[in-house]
Amino acid sequence: MSAPTLDRSATGSPDEATLQEQFDATIAADRRIEPRDWMPEGYRKTLVRQVAQHAHSEIIGMQPEGDWLLAAPSLRRKAVLLAKVQDEAGHGLYLYSAAETLGADRADLTDKLIEGRQKYSSIFNYPTPAYADVGVIGWLVDGAAICNQVPLCRSSYGPYARAMIRVCKEESFHQRQGYELLMTMMRGTDEQRAMVQDAVDRWWWPSLMMFGPPDDESPNTAQSMAWGIKRHTNDELRQRFVDMTVPQAQALGVTLPDPDLAWDADSGHWRFGAIDWEEFRRVLAGDGPKNAERIARRRAARDDNAWVVEAATAYARKHERGAA
Amino acid sequence: MSEVTAEGGHGAIPTGPEVPVQPRARAVQRDWPLYEVFVRGKRGLNHVHVGSLHAPDDEMAIDAARDLYTRRNEGVSIWVVRAVDITASSPDEKDPLFAPSGDKVYRHPTFYEIPDGVPHI
């Protein structure tokens, strides 16, 4: 929030070197930076980009699964999916709220998303042609998101870290409902099992790409880690995800589509094959199967509902406190 | 390619300087006012700040806060207040506002030495 400040200091504001020193000391002591603290411009901008795009990903992330709301096979599955999609909207709003403490503005961020000037996660540019995709998104995509987000609960920026704590609590339900859905299908017919395996085949590699390019192609990771915005490197998180997921795949009875996947007893990690970064770059650049559709739908949601925003504003003005 | 980081929760996204961060006035004016939200988790606890939201008026701010911040029984009572109506102290950790309590260690019970044998004190 940007509340007005009662300035009682007689000495005026401290110089920038002193402010930088105080900021560095707060980071070094692993304490949190709060909204109205002085912060370096680079720190603020990095956070706005990261938090805004995290928010965009949650909002766009409603679409691939939202397509299944009416087609889910039972009332129970519809209720679960509806709760999940509603959570994604909530996560987006927690994050826009955090971004606004940095001087960003929600309506403006939405415009930037629709204009393609800010991005969202490329994972949501893949299609969801089968109901098993709902389960696999919960298991793999939300599982990968949890790997990313749990360390962010300790992010150096207070409002972001607090938003992440709320998000992580809710993601756990997302992952478990997905895995349970897949277990149910795996106990079903051959056709259902094949549907699950096909969905796993399509989502496994994009899920690994969610962690971003390898560390040697991420030149700014060091700065983000020094600022306490980022807590682990991309490769560390990806390895953690693979190690967690392989036993889950075994328990489920599906095969992960990687012939090079092998247990390495020396390191205690699962080794995996090479990731197709060309595909990642293509999808990120806008050439994924669903990029245009996702943005068109978000644009329609904004434009088609603009009259609701205007009507509510007009009603509020008319009934303003103290108005005659 | 531009800098991409995984720290966007659901996956890698560009975070390089080519991504704009400054808001434009046109969009800001279009949106509803910002409210800060406080939730009482259960009877016996204080209301605690949980975040913010945009709403056209007080009543809809309460409804939106219910949907956004108490989807899992997180609250029994909600306060909303327009962000512009909040007055705050300076954020500086060395704010002179707090100086008067800084040197009054005698306000704490640990300031006083009591022999070990004295009970219930």
Side-chain angles (χ1 to χ4, degrees):
Chain A
M1 68 187 159
S2 51
T5 297
L6 294 179
D7 187 5
R8 305 184 196 213
S9 61
T11 51
S13 44
D15 59 50
E16 183 150 330
T18 311
L19 292 167
Q20 177 77 50
E21 232 168 72
Q22 289 170 357
F23 173 87
D24 291 343
T26 304
I27 296 283
D30 202 19
R31 284 156 63 204
R32 301 290 175 261
I33 303 297
E34 293 296 343
R36 292 155 58 253
D37 287 340
W38 180 90
M39 59 188 85
E41 202 46 25
Y43 177 86
R44 191 182 71 81
K45 285 183 171 164
T46 300
L47 267 168
V48 170
R49 290 187 187 106
Q50 182 172 319
V51 177
Q53 295 174 71
H54 195 165
H56 296 331
S57 299
E58 301 282 356
I59 295 297
I60 295 293
M62 287 192 280
Q63 292 186 31
E65 292 181 283
D67 285 340
W68 282 97
L69 281 173
L70 296 177
S74 68
L75 186 58
R76 176 179 183 271
R77 296 292 175 189
K78 281 184 171 71
V80 168
L81 188 54
L82 192 59
K84 198 207 153 185
V85 172
Q86 193 188 9
D87 275 353
E88 306 294 0
H91 296 178
L93 291 174
Y94 305 154
L95 287 158
Y96 284 130
S97 166
E100 290 195 309
T101 65
L102 293 156
D105 176 86
R106 186 186 66 174
D108 176 70
L109 293 175
T110 298
D111 287 354
K112 286 185 166 71
L113 165 69
I114 289 170
E115 291 159 12
R117 299 168 77 216
Q118 291 183 345
K119 303 284 185 196
Y120 56 90
S121 171
S122 58
I123 194 80
F124 300 117
N125 290 318
Y126 291 90
T128 44
Y131 179 63
D133 290 347
V134 171
V136 172
I137 287 177
W139 174 38
L140 295 181
V141 175
D142 291 319
I146 290 171
C147 270
N148 272 336
Q149 289 172 159
V150 166
L152 290 175
C153 296
R154 296 186 296 115
S155 177
S156 63
Y157 188 59
Y160 190 32
R162 292 192 287 273
M164 279 301 104
I165 290 170
R166 298 184 75 86
V167 167
C168 284
K169 275 186 197 161
E170 298 176 358
E171 289 286 0
S172 171
F173 141 62
H174 296 182
Q175 196 188 19
R176 289 172 68 105
Q177 66 82 31
Y179 195 79
E180 186 237 35
L181 189 164
L182 296 176
M183 281 200 309
T184 308
M185 288 184 83
M186 291 302 284
R187 286 195 297 265
T189 63
D190 284 347
E191 199 185 353
Q192 285 176 310
R193 275 186 286 276
M195 199 188 281
V196 173
Q197 183 61 55
D198 177 66
V200 170
D201 291 347
R202 285 183 286 107
W203 289 96
W204 173 247
W205 291 107
S207 299
L208 293 192
M209 293 175 199
M210 284 175 66
F211 296 93
D215 293 347
D216 51 14
E217 289 175 38
S218 305
N220 293 343
T221 287
Q223 176 62 76
S224 271
M225 288 181 75
W227 274 333
I229 296 175
K230 194 175 168 120
R231 295 292 188 173
H232 302 281
T233 71
N234 297 354
D235 286 334
E236 284 168 8
L237 290 167
R238 186 166 16 245
Q239 184 65 57
R240 184 181 297 180
F241 173 69
V242 172
D243 289 342
M244 279 172 18
T245 307
V246 172
Q248 294 168 354
Q250 290 167 340
L252 194 57
V254 295
T255 307
L256 297 172
D258 179 359
D260 296 327
L261 192 66
W263 174 249
D264 177 21
D266 290 343
S267 65
H269 292 298
W270 285 91
R271 294 295 167 216
F272 50 95
I275 294 170
D276 179 5
W277 291 111
E278 234 356 90
E279 175 184 327
F280 173 76
R281 290 184 184 96
R282 245 187 0 257
V283 176
L284 198 65
D287 199 19
K290 290 282 183 180
N291 296 54
E293 187 183 317
R294 301 288 186 239
I295 289 298
R297 196 146 160 198
R298 183 65 192 88
R299 181 190 295 277
R302 180 193 65 180
D303 296 348
D304 297 351
N305 297 320
W307 70 271
V308 179
V309 177
E310 286 163 23
T313 304
Y315 180 87
R317 289 225 176 99
K318 201 172 161 189
H319 295 83
E320 202 126 303
R321 287 166 292 185
Chain B
M1 78 189 279
S2 74
E3 174 69 7
V4 170
T5 175
E7 302 290 311
H10 280 84
I13 35 159
T15 52
E18 77 285 357
V19 179
V21 297
Q22 292 302 341
R24 288 163 301 186
R26 182 168 50 84
V28 178
Q29 286 154 6
R30 199 181 62 227
D31 208 353
W32 291 329
L34 187 68
Y35 282 82
E36 299 296 335
V37 180
F38 302 78
V39 171
R40 185 198 295 285
K42 60 180 181 185
R43 289 175 178 278
L45 298 180
N46 289 319
H47 284 77
V48 173
H49 181 245
V50 291
S52 65
L53 51 79
H54 290 269
D57 59 30
D58 298 354
E59 195 184 339
M60 285 190 70
I62 289 281
D63 288 346
R66 191 251 342 248
D67 291 345
L68 187 55
Y69 291 108
T70 63
R71 285 195 302 284
R72 290 178 174 79
N73 301 317
E74 291 96 334
V76 296
S77 167
I78 298 172
W79 290 346
V80 292
V81 57
R82 284 206 190 178
V84 295
D85 291 338
I86 293 178
T87 303
S89 66
S90 152
D92 190 344
E93 291 180 33
K94 294 194 168 57
D95 190 341
L97 182 69
F98 300 108
S101 80
D103 58 356
K104 296 180 177 59
V105 286
Y106 48 83
R107 285 180 175 173
H108 298 275
T110 47
F111 179 75
Y112 304 93
E113 266 186 51
I114 307 288
D116 287 345
V118 182
H120 307 305
I121 185 164

